[in-house]
Amino acid sequence: MPDSTVPTFDRPVPVCPVRGSVLFPTMVMPIDAGRPISIRAINTALDRDRSIVIVSQRDRDIEEPGAGDLFQTGTACHIMRMKKNPDGSIQMLVRAVARVAIERYSTDAGVIEADVRALDVPAGDEVMLQAAYRELKEKFGELVESGHRGLQAEVAQFVMNLEDPGQFADYVAYHLDFRVEDKQAVLEAASVAERLRKVLILIDTEIELQETQRRLQREVKDEIDRNQREYFLREQIKALQKELSGSDEDEDEVEAFREKLEALELPEAAMKEAQRELNRLSRMHPDSAEASVIRTYLTTLTELPWNVRSDDKLDMEAAAGVLDDDHYGLEKVKDRVLEYLAVRKLKQDRAEKGELDAAEVNRGPILLFVGPPGVGKTSIAKSIAKALGREYVRISLGGARDESDIRGHRRTYIGSMPGRIVQGIRQAGTKNPVFLLDEVDKLGVSYQGDPSSALLEVLDPAQNNTFVDHYLGVPFDLSEVLFVATANYAQQIPEALMDRMELIEFSSYIEQEKLEIAKRYLLPRQLQENGLKAHQFSVTDGALSRVVSAYTREAGVRNLERTIGTLARKAARRIAHGDAKRVRLTERSLEGYLGAERFVPESEGEENLVGVATGMYYTPVGGDILFVETSVTPGKSGFVLTGQLGDVMKESARAALTYAKANADRFGIPRAQLEETEIHVHIPAGATPKEGPSAGVALATALISALTGVPVRKDVAMTGELTLRGRVLAIGGLREKILGAKRAGITHIVYPGKNAADMKDIAAHLKRSLHMHEADDLDQVLDVALVGGLAALEQKGHPDTGGDRGGERGGSKRKPRTKRSEVPAQA
């Protein structure tokens, strides 16, 4: 049947918002009001006819709701009694009269009012109504019999006695623990039958939840009972073992951890976290999984060197001796270590006088060693630790793709562990080791994070004193660690990470350096590794030099050591078989042990040729010479470049051709020749890719020689970048290029004048027997490189007419600057 009496409202009615509840018609309920907006609405209703509308809020967290925060359907009520409390709040007893639809909300003097219309709710389909009513009554009865926690027996009995289906549905919805949104949907139902159906769905869900809850409770209870039985059995076994052995061998773990923590003098944050975990462990069953996790965490925490340091050896002479004994060369690195020692010594003196904070004294630098493989980057870090008297720890970052490799895993994960930084500190046993981050340029990136970003905090002196590993969860001071990173390519290191490190470049070893390293370190080590004594196996300097030049080609000495190891093993075999008592290797006998030479370096040309100039190049494995061959053949005007040249090198060749055309009259090059011939430039070997601008002067020299017919001297090698105006610009790798040219038999070197400062880094004995020529423009290069010098070209050309030279008029009469006052050789 439809709801009974439907009242009418001819004026706006005050609205009292409520949170977390929905009131249904016919109910008499107490309401506590403490918010100003509710108190104002109640006072307004009392001043009128005591009518008020109770409306639920959409969001219960809003303290001062507006019209948009309230539902559009509420319950009209009559205030029966009201009591004001001393704190200003109001308690009132209301009787719900009818469902009402809110036509419009308005606000007057801080009071929300509403134009409302009472809802005349129809009964709906009679058959469905009766069926739903019976089903709901049965379900509610089941719920009552199962002992629903939030339902008192008296209330349940009262609800069961209700005979009106709509009223029954309202009371069931009110007294059961449904969501506010679900109760509001019951209040807004279009018919009584629909109202019953909605409540029936809700009560079915509630019954299913209760059944699931009871099943879980049974499972938990069974698990607890089982654990308790196991615990009691284990305790009985322990008691029996104690009786049998007569002693208790079990160590009190909690007390042992507590003693360790007190002895460590941890920082406040670390001590607080350790005590918290220790208290948790003391309350846990020792065989539980969580207890094992806490035990591992406390073990890690207590094994870290929170206050353990190595005493630095501040004897600079002894440190220099250690570095020199372990490594040949590497002067920049050795100087930087000795500078650190000197600064540390001065800081320590000031700290003893109270002029400097101890934390500032202990702060270490962050060094980055960049260079090709095998030049000693990793091994020098170990020597640094030895020279300083510190512990040494190394981690390889090649292929690391997860941030957790650096910061560790949070303890919520199964099998979690600290990051590699904390593990390395734990392994070192001191908080100020020399910490090598090997292959820092090989770090990867994945969806799990960027490990190079995690290193930003580790390698920042302003932040690493509070480094937080995810596993530890507390700050650890890394400011005293001497971090050393190594890389092969600085370009592959993120800019932000590079900014935090001091870059020291390692150049490749020259042949003389490799020879000294082989004599001092590699040969003695291979003798020991292969069971040989010094008198049993020896290698002459000539043989070692040939091994370096003809059997290895690398920047470092790894392959050289392997090759020496091969020689030592073959000698050991002969001695072990009794074929010889001692083996002495010379250049003649070397091929019998290692076979034919693997690398044959270029050598100077056999004669002075037209169109063939000797250039120089540099790679990470060393320097060498190359030949630029130019051919001019009849045909349509064209310019062909071969030999796997890169884009920069092709641009250098085109710049050289443009320069030659611009100065054609000065050099005696017929214009018709330029327009009616095809120019072909080839740089062997064709299978080897070539790139870079430093072959510019060699390309120009070969082009001008081919176009003028003046030969190029075979004993001159040149390097330098060329501009369209004929200027010679600076290049890189000058030392390696000069040494490669010297090995090839070149006696005259032409290099850019802007590289004069680089010549100071080349030892005097390496430049012996070489004639060095500085050149600032191409005329100075041609004066040395061509047979007859620049004069041979000017005889062919017309210097009085002047050339274009890209903006410079007239030919240059300057002679190239030469070293040792030598005169360029003539043909």
Side-chain angles (χ1 to χ4, degrees):
M1 64 180 67
D3 290 348
S4 54
T5 311
V6 178
T8 59
F9 301 91
D10 54 1
R11 60 180 294 183
V13 183
V15 174
C16 179
V18 295
R19 296 184 285 193
S21 179
V22 176
L23 200 60
F24 293 93
T26 75
M27 291 183 177
V28 177
M29 290 293 172
I31 294 179
D32 295 331
R35 294 185 293 177
I37 193 169
S38 302
I39 294 173
R40 290 194 295 268
I42 294 170
N43 289 332
T44 302
L46 292 172
D47 291 341
R48 297 179 183 176
D49 58 357
R50 290 181 171 254
S51 293
I52 193 168
V53 174
I54 305 297
V55 183
S56 297
Q57 290 181 205
R58 298 180 186 275
D59 185 354
R60 64 176 298 150
D61 294 331
I62 298 176
E63 196 65 26
E64 288 288 328
D69 302 315
L70 304 176
F71 287 106
Q72 294 299 117
T73 302
T75 308
C77 299
H78 178 75
I79 301 175
M80 300 173 64
R81 289 197 298 273
M82 186 275 294
K83 175 187 175 183
K84 290 187 177 181
N85 297 322
D87 60 357
S89 62
I90 293 177
Q91 292 179 324
M92 64 176 179
L93 186 68
V94 300
R95 175 170 55 82
V97 177
R99 288 172 164 81
V100 293
I102 311 298
E103 301 289 345
R104 183 178 66 87
Y105 283 109
S106 61
T107 304
D108 184 15
V111 177
I112 300 177
E113 296 183 329
D115 295 331
V116 300
R117 171 177 55 82
L119 295 175
D120 184 10
V121 183
D125 184 87
E126 184 65 27
V127 176
M128 181 179 292
L129 186 149
Q130 291 300 325
Y133 173 59
R134 290 180 183 177
E135 182 68 16
L136 180 60
K137 205 153 192 174
E138 288 180 8
K139 296 287 187 183
F140 184 71
E142 290 179 14
L143 207 59
V144 172
E145 289 177 2
S146 66
H148 191 277
R149 289 183 300 176
L151 202 59
Q152 297 179 358
E154 297 81 0
V155 174
Q157 187 61 40
F158 169 77
V159 175
M160 287 294 292
N161 291 333
L162 294 174
E163 296 181 355
D164 181 81
Q167 192 179 15
F168 180 73
D170 287 344
Y171 275 75
V172 170
Y174 179 83
H175 287 289
L176 291 182
D177 189 20
F178 300 147
R179 295 185 308 145
V180 173
E181 292 82 357
D182 295 331
K183 293 184 178 182
Q184 183 68 26
V186 173
L187 182 69
E188 296 173 358
S191 66
V192 177
E194 179 65 17
R195 190 188 313 165
L196 286 163
R197 188 184 69 82
K198 288 180 180 293
V199 177
L200 191 59
I201 293 172
L202 293 173
I203 202 170
D204 278 339
T205 304
E206 182 69 18
I207 290 172
E208 185 175 350
L209 286 174
Q210 279 208 335
E211 290 177 353
T212 303
Q213 187 176 359
R214 283 194 294 270
R215 185 178 71 253
L216 289 174
Q217 287 176 345
R218 288 194 300 270
E219 291 176 357
V220 170
K221 184 176 182 301
D222 292 343
E223 182 67 19
I224 291 174
D225 291 343
R226 184 176 64 83
N227 288 339
Q228 286 180 341
R229 285 195 302 271
E230 291 179 357
Y231 175 71
F232 290 137
L233 288 172
R234 279 193 295 268
E235 290 300 315
Q236 289 175 354
I237 292 172
K238 287 180 181 178
L240 289 172
Q241 289 176 343
K242 183 179 178 180
E243 289 292 332
L244 290 172
S245 62
S247 63
D248 187 4
E249 296 180 356
D250 293 336
E251 182 184 3
D252 189 350
E253 277 189 319
V254 174
E255 286 304 317
F257 278 126
R258 202 180 304 279
E259 291 174 4
K260 289 180 181 179
L261 291 174
E262 291 174 355
L264 283 175
E265 299 180 2
L266 297 178
E268 183 180 353
M271 180 61 80
K272 185 177 179 181
E273 178 68 14
Q275 292 290 356
R276 188 178 71 87
E277 294 295 328
L278 194 60
N279 292 335
R280 288 182 60 204
L281 179 63
S282 64
R283 295 191 298 268
M284 283 185 180
H285 189 280
D287 294 329
S288 67
E290 185 68 15
S292 176
V293 172
I294 296 175
R295 194 179 296 114
T296 304
Y297 172 73
L298 290 173
T299 301
T300 302
L301 204 65
T302 54
E303 289 182 356
L304 284 175
W306 294 91
N307 296 294
V308 181
R309 297 176 179 84
S310 300
D311 294 331
D312 282 348
K313 297 178 182 177
L314 301 180
D315 187 340
M316 298 179 61
E317 292 185 4
V322 170
L323 294 173
D324 289 336
D325 289 343
D326 290 348
H327 288 82
Y328 179 79
L330 305 178
E331 299 303 329
K332 291 182 179 179
V333 185
K334 295 176 181 178
D335 288 345
R336 183 62 185 88
V337 176
L338 296 177
E339 289 167 6
Y340 166 71
L341 278 178
V343 171
R344 178 66 189 274
K345 186 174 183 179
L346 294 177
K347 282 185 175 181
Q348 188 165 323
D349 292 342
R350 291 186 60 189
E352 291 174 355
K353 298 176 182 178
E355 299 176 359
L356 204 61
D357 185 24
E360 186 66 25
V361 175
N362 294 327
R363 183 168 295 172
I366 297 170
L367 307 177
L368 172 62
F369 297 159
V370 176
V375 294
K377 301 185 299 296
T378 302
S379 59
I380 192 69
K382 196 167 187 178
S383 296
I384 292 172
K386 182 180 177 182
L388 296 176
R390 293 191 179 190
E391 296 295 326
Y392 169 77
V393 61
R394 170 188 171 273
I395 63 171
S396 177
L397 297 177
R401 303 176 62 85
D402 189 350
E403 180 194 8
S404 299
D405 284 343
I406 308 299
R407 287 190 174 275
H409 302 80
R410 289 178 174 84
R411 297 198 303 276
T412 52
Y413 299 106
I414 296 175
S416 58
M417 62 179 66
R420 299 175 72 177
I421 301 296
V422 170
Q423 289 185 40
I425 296 294
R426 180 182 177 185
Q427 174 188 342
T430 63
K431 66 180 302 183
N432 64 337
V434 173
F435 202 121
L436 179 65
L437 304 172
D438 212 3
E439 308 292 354
V440 75
D441 59 330
K442 308 298 191 303
L443 287 169
V445 180
S446 71
Y447 68 92
Q448 295 172 317
D450 182 0
S452 65
S453 299
L455 278 177
L456 295 179
E457 181 184 1
V458 176
L459 300 181
D460 190 344
Q463 301 180 45
N464 63 8
N465 60 332
T466 56
F467 172 72
V468 178
D469 185 275
H470 288 159
Y471 181 82
L472 293 182
V474 294
F476 189 88
D477 186 4
L478 297 176
S479 63
E480 299 180 35
V481 179
L482 174 53
F483 283 107
V484 177
T486 69
N488 296 128
Y489 305 101
Q491 299 84 354
Q492 296 180 5
I493 302 175
E495 185 176 350
L497 195 57
M498 278 286 294
D499 186 55
R500 286 162 165 78
M501 298 183 284
E502 179 181 343
L503 176 64
I504 298 177
E505 292 187 357
F506 282 54
S507 59
S508 58
Y509 290 123
I510 61 176
E511 185 173 325
Q512 287 76 5
E513 289 175 333
K514 290 181 180 180
L515 183 60
E516 286 297 322
I517 292 170
K519 290 163 59 178
R520 296 187 187 189
Y521 308 106
L522 306 184
L523 187 56
R525 186 158 61 214
Q526 288 301 320
L527 286 175
Q528 184 176 358
E529 289 185 4
N530 292 282
L532 294 170
K533 296 180 181 179
H535 71 274
Q536 291 179 304
F537 178 67
S538 61
V539 185
T540 64
D541 288 354
L544 276 178
S545 180
R546 189 178 174 196
V547 169
V548 171
S549 60
Y551 290 93
T552 63
R553 177 161 292 183
E554 57 179 340
V557 292
R558 286 179 181 159
N559 284 332
L560 176 59
E561 183 171 9
R562 280 192 283 267
T563 305
I564 293 174
T566 300
L567 295 173
R569 287 192 300 273
K570 291 182 179 297
R573 181 179 177 184
R574 289 190 62 195
I575 293 172
H577 284 181
D579 297 338
K581 291 185 178 181
R582 60 186 300 271
V583 175
R584 184 173 182 270
L585 288 179
T586 63
E587 288 187 73
R588 290 185 176 182
S589 59
L590 194 61
E591 191 168 336
Y593 285 81
L594 296 178
E597 294 181 353
R598 299 175 189 171
F599 305 102
V600 180
E602 292 283 0
S603 59
E604 67 169 312
E606 297 178 357
E607 57 182 331
N608 301 330
L609 297 175
V610 173
V612 179
T614 305
M616 297 184 287
Y617 70 89
Y618 160 70
T619 68
V621 300
D624 207 339
I625 62 172
L626 56 79
F627 295 106
V628 180
E629 301 175 350
T630 305
S631 175
V632 179
T633 56
K636 63 178 182 178
S637 177
F639 190 49
V640 180
L641 300 170
T642 57
Q644 282 211 55
L645 308 188
D647 291 339
V648 175
M649 207 165 190
K650 289 178 180 178
E651 291 173 359
S652 297
R654 294 193 177 278
L657 179 62
T658 301
Y659 179 83
K661 288 180 177 180
N663 292 271
D665 293 339
R666 190 164 64 91
F667 293 150
I669 303 173
R671 295 285 179 181
Q673 182 182 9
L674 292 172
E675 296 173 357
E676 298 174 359
T677 57
E678 181 180 79
I679 301 172
H680 186 167
V681 177
H682 177 70
I683 302 179
T688 305
K690 306 166 192 72
E691 182 59 297
S694 64
V697 295
L699 287 163
T701 302
L703 273 168
I704 293 171
S705 170
L707 291 169
T708 60
V710 177
V712 182
R713 289 171 51 184
K714 65 177 183 177
D715 59 346
V716 176
M718 62 203 77
T719 182
E721 180 180 354
L722 181 68
T723 71
L724 288 176
R725 293 187 298 157
R727 294 173 58 226
V728 179
L729 303 184
I731 46 82
L734 181 62
R735 185 181 74 149
E736 288 77 9
K737 291 177 180 178
I738 291 175
L739 294 173
K742 181 178 180 180
R743 185 172 59 245
I746 298 295
T747 56
H748 290 264
I749 303 293
V750 182
Y751 65 94
K754 296 183 182 297
N755 282 103
D758 296 332
M759 295 298 294
K760 298 177 182 178
D761 295 334
I762 303 177
H765 72 276
L766 298 179
K767 294 183 285 185
R768 194 175 298 127
S769 76
L770 289 177
H771 300 274
M772 312 301 295
H773 307 268
E774 290 183 14
D776 293 318
D777 59 38
L778 189 62
D779 282 1
Q780 293 174 310
V781 177
L782 297 175
D783 202 28
V784 176
L786 296 180
V787 175
L790 193 62
L793 290 179
E794 292 176 345
Q795 290 174 3
K796 289 177 170 286
H798 309 282
D800 293 336
T801 63
D804 183 2
R805 300 196 67 215
E808 297 183 8
R809 296 192 55 81
S812 171
K813 297 300 182 182
R814 290 177 294 169
K815 292 293 183 180
R817 297 193 296 274
T818 60
K819 301 298 179 183
R820 298 172 51 228
S821 302
E822 71 277 11
V823 177
Q826 300 297 317

